[in-house]
Amino acid sequence: MTLRLTLAETEALRQTAKREHRSMQDVARTAIDEYVTRRARRRDEHLATIVAEDGELLRRLEEM
């Protein structure tokens, strides 16, 4: 996989890695993992809300 970053993104990544004494690759991989995990958690929360709010409707649709 090739990841193409703008100059500003590359510099921000470089500075973050330098500040944290980590590699740019490690910082990028951590950021991707956090993003994916956060999105999955938000999706699960949204689905739980839908089921809680519309549970009766969902049950009736299931019976059709």
Side-chain angles (χ1 to χ4, degrees):
M1 179 181 112
T2 301
L3 178 63
R4 292 177 181 84
L5 302 174
T6 65
L7 292 176
E9 291 166 337
T10 301
E11 186 56 30
L13 180 59
R14 185 183 328 280
Q15 290 300 319
T16 300
K18 182 178 179 181
R19 185 174 50 253
E20 296 180 6
H21 305 288
R22 298 166 57 197
S23 70
M24 290 173 59
Q25 179 176 342
D26 188 42
V27 171
R29 291 179 67 185
T30 299
I32 292 167
D33 181 58
E34 289 174 1
Y35 174 82
V36 169
T37 301
R38 184 175 62 245
R39 286 186 58 87
R41 184 174 53 248
R42 285 178 47 198
R43 180 202 61 226
D44 293 346
E45 290 169 357
H46 289 304
L47 288 173
T49 299
I50 290 168
V51 169
E53 292 177 358
D54 298 322
E56 179 59 31
L57 175 61
L58 292 170
R59 280 187 287 284
R60 289 193 328 224
L61 287 171
E62 184 178 13
E63 293 172 0
M64 295 179 102

